[in-house]
Amino acid sequence: MSERVKLHYFNGRGKMESIRWLLTVAGVEFDEFLLTTREQYVKLLNDGDLMFQQVPLVEIDGMKLIQTKAILNYIAEKYNLHGKDIKDRVKINMYSEGLMDLMEMIMVLPFAQDPKSKLGNIETKAKERYLPVFEKQLLSHIYLVGGRLSLADVLLMECTLMLEEKFVGILADFPNVKAFQGRMSRNEAIARFLQPGSKRKPQPDDVYIKSVKEVLNLNISFP
């Protein structure tokens, strides 16, 4: 019996949240080791576990993996969520990287000096640059690539929920995306993940922000 996957990160969403989503959809149980002190982070550094001095860190299959995209791609490959061939994979990666770019704009908001001033720009980009791409693709497809569930679908589900938290009704003009969200929410693993008490993390609060800054010794805010 293989060891359970271990996640090393803060007690919050951040870049680990997409990994939690993907593991959940893949049906993989995982344990979380929460970084709450500077000493924990320094120990990971001193032990040589953080190649580029960054988290997330995921222990899986006897490896210690860093870099979010690399981790997601490994999990997707291992659990058949990365398409049937190389052409599917590159399409999945294109959709996934676009979604990660959009989610990162929201992810860094709590650390901005004036988060509210950035909301309009994010909403405009979501409506004009990102959501139209998925609305068009979902017009005649149940899933984004290859007629089967993939990493890209999981990230799109996560992203739509993040957008709706910030911009109520943002999907009103994107009925295919909204219908997709409804279908995905009926996936058994996702339905459980969306219930209270799951390992899904809440929106960042002051406690999370303070913890991240203390662990990483950050004394500045993003512009």
Side-chain angles (χ1 to χ4, degrees):
M1 185 176 179
S2 61
E3 292 187 9
R4 283 164 65 100
V5 175
K6 299 176 183 177
L7 313 184
H8 299 263
Y9 202 67
F10 312 103
N11 188 19
R13 289 183 182 175
K15 293 192 172 184
M16 186 66 87
E17 190 72 352
S18 294
I19 297 168
R20 296 185 187 103
W21 269 92
L22 192 60
L23 288 170
T24 296
V25 171
V28 179
E29 296 288 339
F30 57 88
D31 297 316
E32 299 201 59
F33 296 83
L34 302 177
L35 296 178
T36 58
T37 68
R38 176 72 179 171
E39 288 71 25
Q40 290 172 300
Y41 173 73
V42 171
K43 184 178 187 306
L44 290 175
L45 289 176
N46 291 340
D47 290 347
D49 292 336
L50 304 181
M51 185 185 297
F52 300 117
Q53 303 178 18
Q54 297 171 323
V55 288
L57 166 66
V58 173
E59 296 187 55
I60 183 172
D61 295 340
M63 301 182 291
K64 294 182 178 180
L65 304 181
I66 54 119
Q67 297 299 106
T68 307
K69 292 176 185 177
I71 295 167
L72 290 171
N73 287 342
Y74 180 82
I75 295 168
E77 284 284 338
K78 180 178 174 68
Y79 294 101
N80 199 28
L81 293 165
H82 214 189
K84 64 182 182 299
D85 56 32
I86 192 171
K87 290 184 177 180
D88 275 0
R89 285 193 289 277
V90 74
K91 292 176 184 176
I92 289 167
N93 290 344
M94 287 193 297
Y95 284 131
S96 297
E97 291 194 24
L99 288 162
M100 292 173 73
D101 287 346
L102 177 54
M103 287 192 285
E104 187 164 352
M105 296 180 204
I106 299 173
M107 198 182 304
V108 301
L109 274 177
F111 301 92
Q113 294 176 3
D114 184 11
K116 291 183 179 179
S117 68
K118 299 185 179 299
L119 287 172
N121 181 52
I122 295 173
E123 184 175 16
T124 297
K125 285 184 176 180
K127 287 181 174 181
E128 296 181 359
R129 180 182 300 180
Y130 294 97
L131 288 174
V133 172
F134 300 102
E135 180 68 13
K136 180 179 179 181
Q137 180 65 7
L138 291 168
L139 178 62
S140 56
H141 297 83
I142 300 298
Y143 298 111
L144 288 171
V145 178
R148 58 201 280 187
L149 183 65
S150 75
L151 166 63
D153 299 300
V154 178
L155 293 182
L156 179 56
M157 178 63 176
E158 180 190 4
C159 186
T160 60
L161 294 175
M162 289 178 69
L163 287 170
E164 287 184 324
E165 286 174 342
K166 297 299 180 186
F167 315 107
V168 177
I170 191 172
L171 299 184
D173 294 329
F174 302 95
N176 296 326
V177 175
K178 187 64 178 177
F180 165 86
Q181 186 192 69
R183 292 193 300 272
M184 290 288 285
S185 67
R186 292 190 289 275
N187 175 288
E188 289 186 13
I190 291 175
R192 290 194 299 271
F193 195 59
L194 295 177
Q195 293 299 310
S198 77
K199 291 186 176 181
R200 184 186 182 212
K201 301 302 182 186
Q203 293 190 64
D205 58 15
D206 291 341
V207 174
Y208 169 74
I209 297 165
K210 182 174 183 290
S211 176
V212 172
K213 287 185 174 182
E214 288 179 352
V215 170
L216 298 181
N217 197 25
L218 297 176
N219 298 314
I220 59 172
S221 298
F222 296 110

